[in-house]
Amino acid sequence: MSEPAIVLGANQYGKAEVRVVKVARERARHEIDDLNVTSQLRGDFAAAHLVGDNAHVVPTDTQKNTIFAFARDGIGSPEAFLLRLADHFVSSFEWVTGGRWAAERFAWQRIMADGAPHDHAFVRSGHEVRTAVVVADGAERHVIAGLRDLTVMKSTGSGFEDYPHDRYTTLAETHDRILATDVSARWRYARADVDFDGRYESVRALLLEAFAEGYSPGLQATLFAMGRRVLEAHDDIAEIRFSMPNNHHFVVDLAPFGLDNPNEVFFAADRPYGLIEAAVVREGVESPRAAWDGIAGFC
Ligand SMILES: O=c1[nH]c(=O)c2[nH]c(=O)[nH]c2[nH]1
């Protein structure tokens, strides 16, 4: 039997992590967009791989330059910026049939100075990062928005009980514990003509609200409540996926020091941590694999 021939499989290429900062300075009050953008082209690049023919290889350097050139007109929402890049590359080179464009956006807030928000001095706000991915396949566009490292905690209103016990179980049941996590969420829009900035702010607020409200019997239940809240509020969001660590806080035994500890002093462990991941979806609505391929850290 002869060996199967060795052929080229799936491929994409581009420039990763282009850090672009755009300052809008038409007015004295400047605005800042701070992004980390990755561009990857898909299409007919077989000759480059098989025989070193670069005739179809739009240089990664050109892809980087295009990101900077497009920023000159303003960035706007990360999703809209990525859609512009996708449309540009797919329409400019006939052998480019699609691609994947991803962005992280870092938030800056005005520094308060002399009792007022400063016009051009900023402080990085929060730890969380807004994320966006656009996948293009011909005329089709998938838009996935998201956030990561949205760190939240509730100091009560959470427990974990009624789980199976076996010979290795030492965890004590509780109906009063700290619940803490760093929310990573990605949601897929059903359409590409959405007010992306408005939706982002709304989804972030809904996630926080659902985390805060009610009693949490487990991080799994809280995750689902957060996802359901978002899907119930927004028809144009098809599905939402989460990856959330359970950042354990252990009650410290202060008895050796003659002290009680009624859930007041905790050891915040950084590892190991529980890791809870799930998708919250609309029944019967298919999730396009192509949209999610390459998004690491979500099941
Ligand atoms: O909310 C929780 N979910 C779990 O699956 C789990 N497992 C565990 O040890 N503690 C917790 N807490």
Side-chain angles (χ1 to χ4, degrees):
M1 218 172 71
S2 65
E3 292 287 318
I6 293 169
V7 296
L8 179 67
N11 61 92
Q12 61 181 5
Y13 81 100
K15 197 67 105 189
E17 305 211 38
V18 179
R19 292 284 286 105
V20 53
V21 173
K22 169 68 166 60
V23 180
R25 48 188 306 150
E26 296 77 30
R27 285 179 281 277
R29 190 182 173 83
H30 291 184
E31 308 283 343
I32 289 202
D33 277 321
D34 181 359
L35 265 67
N36 188 25
V37 181
T38 293
S39 167
Q40 286 166 300
L41 305 185
R42 297 173 184 166
D44 176 11
F45 304 108
H49 293 88
L50 301 179
V51 296
D53 174 354
N54 291 333
H56 279 186
V57 184
V58 181
T60 70
D61 193 63
T62 305
Q63 294 180 51
K64 173 209 63 179
N65 291 345
T66 308
I67 291 167
F68 287 121
F70 276 32
R72 179 68 182 87
D73 309 327
I75 287 179
S77 75
E79 292 84 1
F81 189 64
L82 300 184
L83 283 164
R84 275 181 71 201
L85 290 168
D87 291 346
H88 165 76
F89 286 110
V90 171
S91 65
S92 302
F93 307 98
E94 46 127 345
W95 59 89
V96 175
T97 56
R100 185 174 189 281
W101 289 267
E104 298 176 314
R105 190 166 92 166
F106 310 108
W108 293 87
Q109 256 176 3
R110 290 178 197 287
I111 292 176
M112 291 295 290
D114 281 335
H118 200 277
D119 276 349
H120 57 262
F122 301 85
V123 55
R124 258 294 284 278
S125 55
H127 182 51
E128 92 207 51
V129 174
R130 177 171 167 179
T131 63
V133 173
V134 165
V135 173
D137 185 8
E140 199 169 69
R141 300 285 180 269
H142 300 293
V143 182
I144 295 181
L147 51 77
R148 66 170 168 81
D149 297 329
L150 178 64
T151 301
V152 290
M153 169 195 279
K154 53 203 284 187
S155 51
T156 188
S158 157
F160 188 60
E161 297 174 280
D162 303 326
Y163 46 81
H165 289 242
D166 71 2
R167 58 194 288 223
Y168 302 114
T169 305
T170 58
L171 184 71
E173 307 216 353
T174 177
H175 56 270
D176 183 5
R177 66 171 184 175
I178 284 181
L179 184 64
T181 186
D182 311 305
V183 180
S184 287
R186 304 257 194 183
W187 55 95
R188 182 172 63 83
Y189 288 109
R191 309 196 315 259
D193 60 341
V194 173
D195 166 14
F196 295 115
D197 286 345
R199 277 290 177 275
Y200 179 84
E201 292 307 329
S202 169
V203 170
R204 182 182 183 281
L206 291 164
L207 293 174
L208 292 177
E209 204 176 86
F211 175 82
E213 284 176 11
Y215 174 78
S216 166
L219 190 51
Q220 287 91 334
T222 296
L223 176 158
F224 187 76
M226 293 164 75
R228 184 166 56 193
R229 182 80 59 111
V230 169
L231 295 191
E232 280 175 354
H234 295 301
D235 283 352
D236 49 18
I237 298 179
E239 58 180 320
I240 181 164
R241 298 187 184 187
F242 294 92
S243 178
M244 304 195 342
N246 187 357
N247 295 333
H248 303 301
H249 287 67
F250 297 111
V251 179
V252 180
D253 180 9
L254 298 179
F257 321 122
L259 300 170
D260 67 353
N261 188 4
N263 266 357
E264 293 195 8
V265 179
F266 294 85
F267 165 57
D270 68 342
R271 66 193 68 174
Y273 48 89
L275 184 59
I276 313 299
E277 299 184 322
V280 183
V281 302
R282 297 182 191 278
E283 197 172 21
V285 175
E286 282 286 308
S287 179
R289 266 204 58 179
W292 292 98
D293 264 358
I295 294 185
F298 288 78
C299 67

